[in-house]
Amino acid sequence: MIPAVAAPLVANAEGTQPAAEEKQIPQQIEFVLADGTVVQTSTVNLTTGAHQFSELTLPQGYELVSDGSFTVVSSADIIPVTVRAKEAVEETATVIASVQFIDADGNYAGGGNYFLPAGVQNLSILSQYVPEGYTLAEAGDFYVVAGGSYQAKVVKAASTIIHVTYKSTGGKALGGGDYFVDEDGDGIANYSELQLPEGYNLTETGDFFVDANKDYEITLKKEVEGTIINVTFVDEEGNNLGGGDYFVDLDDDGIANYSELQLPEGYELIQTGDFFVDANNPYTITLHKVQTHEVEQDTATLVVKYVKEGTNEVVGEDEAYTADGVKGEVHTFTVDLKAPKGYELVEDEDSLSLDVEYGQNAEVFVKVKAVEDKNEGKEDEEKTDAKEDSKKEDKGVDTGVAMPLAGIFGTMSVALGGMIALLRRKNRK
């Protein structure tokens, strides 16, 4: 505690002494901080009655917290007075710097050399120098040095400040802020007056009504669809599998899906689903090697043979039809039927379909008949009649019975590995 020191009392503004008939008594004054810490204790001679704190001589470097009053009654009392330390005042150097005021179109609106306080300053210190009819169009700090040159944006005083929030077509927040619009003061602004985030364009253009009390939400689209991210693929042992830059998040909502990435051949994703997109963040994605099984390949073969009706004599054959595939699986052959020269198909069908397994050979037999010669048929008929007449003359009774040949083939039949395969025929169109 600082020892008590008698200090002179300033009785009033004129410095006059109290009247001789007023009785003074020694009064102890205790100067304390807000937390109760005693800074100094003094004893002064004061008359009984009311006094103001401002009458007291304060400890050096301190000031009153409030300009209150106190009452002197007895010298046995201790009067507490709350004080606080004065803030240190730093002397700021003043320098000469050059300032140019630029309008929204980049045109020079005024400026010159001004005395400015050195160091970090707020742009608001330039308000007193802004050209007539303009106001500052930006805020923030700048660093002032002697001989420095600075530019400050200004707008016509008629402009209106509106608050704008930008978002992407996918709903991602893109920032925003306060913007000066409607320089001519007609209550109408154009979207082109707004400063857009880099890499985005307006989805809506033209004019809009200005309302300083309204918050504007404006949707923007990317100049280039998608976000480029860098990806490195590794296997489960950490071996590098390559990678590169990939376009993802085409709807620009800040979220992409792992399925948008092109994976190295023979590998598959371990982690699936969505992830947040950050163009400044390199991605390392672990992949799982796909287990492959060797597949045996083989050939399916189909041979079409044409047989004469009644005798089953092979009178023609198509070149073998072949197809390659996985052994054990089935290939469907579709064949257009063409009868050999001098023959025609027995049935009114000109195509057939047949399933043949890869690794099997199959034959299909198609019945044909000779094309009839009308003259030759007539001669054969006359010869037959003459022969019958001769038999009647010789034997008097017809004992001859025509026995049809029982064919081993149907109109169409198939031999496949000793089994009969079913045909799927196509009707004539």
Side-chain angles (χ1 to χ4, degrees):
M1 178 180 295
I2 301 174
V5 178
L9 172 67
V10 179
N12 52 49
E14 288 77 16
T16 60
Q17 298 296 323
E21 62 273 11
E22 291 182 318
K23 183 181 178 180
Q24 293 184 337
I25 61 174
Q27 184 68 60
Q28 190 173 3
I29 307 296
E30 194 172 71
F31 298 100
V32 297
L33 300 177
D35 62 1
T37 302
V38 177
V39 175
Q40 179 178 305
T41 301
S42 301
T43 300
V44 295
N45 292 323
L46 298 173
T47 60
T48 58
H51 293 273
Q52 297 291 323
F53 288 138
S54 58
E55 298 176 32
L56 303 174
T57 300
L58 305 180
Q60 187 175 0
Y62 289 85
E63 61 185 3
L64 290 169
V65 172
S66 63
D67 189 15
S69 62
F70 64 99
T71 302
V72 175
V73 178
S74 170
S75 61
D77 296 333
I78 298 176
I79 306 298
V81 180
T82 305
V83 295
R84 63 189 172 199
K86 292 181 180 179
E87 294 183 1
V89 179
E90 295 182 2
E91 293 186 3
T92 303
T94 300
V95 298
I96 298 177
S98 175
V99 179
Q100 291 183 335
F101 296 101
I102 306 299
D103 66 15
D105 298 323
N107 301 316
Y108 176 77
N113 294 321
Y114 304 101
F115 285 98
L116 302 176
V120 178
Q121 304 296 331
N122 191 277
L123 284 167
S124 59
I125 67 172
L126 302 178
S127 298
Q128 57 186 315
Y129 305 118
V130 172
E132 185 177 355
Y134 289 88
T135 59
L136 280 172
E138 56 184 340
D141 296 333
F142 71 114
Y143 193 80
V144 179
V145 296
S149 180
Y150 309 95
Q151 282 191 347
K153 293 181 180 179
V154 293
V155 293
K156 291 288 183 68
S159 298
T160 302
I161 299 176
I162 63 171
H163 185 77
V164 176
T165 300
Y166 295 114
K167 68 175 185 177
S168 71
T169 52
K172 183 173 68 176
L174 300 173
D178 294 329
Y179 296 87
F180 284 89
V181 295
D182 186 23
E183 291 187 6
D184 56 7
D186 64 354
I188 299 174
N190 192 281
Y191 287 104
S192 62
E193 299 178 44
L194 301 174
Q195 183 177 355
L196 307 182
E198 186 176 357
Y200 288 86
N201 291 323
L202 290 162
T203 57
E204 183 177 3
T205 57
D207 295 334
F208 62 94
F209 290 104
V210 175
D211 182 355
N213 298 316
K214 176 182 177 181
D215 288 336
Y216 292 82
E217 186 177 89
I218 298 177
T219 301
L220 305 177
K221 61 182 178 181
K222 267 199 166 185
E223 293 177 354
V224 178
E225 289 188 354
T227 300
I228 299 176
I229 62 172
N230 185 265
V231 176
T232 300
F233 295 111
V234 297
D235 63 16
E236 292 170 286
E237 286 73 41
N239 299 312
N240 191 309
L241 301 174
D245 293 332
Y246 295 83
F247 279 96
V248 296
D249 185 23
L250 297 182
D251 59 2
D252 199 30
D253 63 353
I255 299 174
N257 192 281
Y258 286 103
S259 62
E260 298 178 46
L261 303 174
Q262 183 177 355
L263 307 182
E265 187 174 354
Y267 288 86
E268 61 187 2
L269 289 164
I270 295 176
Q271 182 177 4
T272 59
D274 295 334
F275 63 93
F276 290 104
V277 175
D278 181 358
N280 299 316
N281 175 39
Y283 293 80
T284 299
I285 298 177
T286 303
L287 304 179
H288 173 72
K289 189 172 181 62
V290 178
Q291 298 299 322
T292 57
H293 302 281
E294 292 187 2
V295 177
E296 184 178 356
Q297 299 286 317
D298 215 324
T299 302
T301 303
L302 174 65
V303 176
V304 178
K305 295 183 177 182
Y306 299 93
V307 296
K308 188 175 182 181
E309 183 181 30
T311 65
N312 294 321
E313 174 189 357
V314 176
V315 296
E317 180 178 325
D318 289 345
E319 185 175 348
Y321 300 94
T322 61
D324 295 325
V326 178
K327 187 173 183 178
E329 294 184 2
V330 173
H331 179 79
T332 301
F333 288 99
T334 301
V335 178
D336 292 329
L337 301 175
K338 296 181 181 179
K341 186 176 181 180
Y343 293 88
E344 63 183 5
L345 299 173
V346 171
E347 292 194 359
D348 190 20
E349 297 174 357
D350 59 3
S351 65
L352 63 84
S353 292
L354 181 66
D355 290 340
V356 181
E357 283 188 13
Y358 295 106
Q360 296 287 335
N361 300 321
E363 289 184 342
V364 61
F365 299 92
V366 180
K367 238 169 203 189
V368 295
K369 59 184 178 181
V371 178
E372 294 185 0
D373 187 333
K374 293 183 179 180
N375 292 330
E376 182 179 350
K378 186 176 181 180
E379 292 177 356
D380 290 341
E381 185 179 349
E382 290 177 352
K383 290 180 180 180
T384 301
D385 292 342
K387 187 175 182 180
E388 292 296 327
D389 291 342
S390 174
K391 287 182 179 180
K392 289 180 180 180
E393 291 177 358
D394 294 339
K395 298 184 178 180
V397 179
D398 183 6
T399 60
V401 178
M403 300 294 292
L405 178 64
I408 63 171
F409 298 101
T411 304
M412 288 188 182
S413 60
V414 180
L416 173 59
M419 300 176 63
I420 302 298
L422 298 178
L423 299 181
R424 294 200 306 274
R425 302 175 182 273
K426 289 186 178 180
N427 294 329
R428 183 189 300 272
K429 297 181 180 179

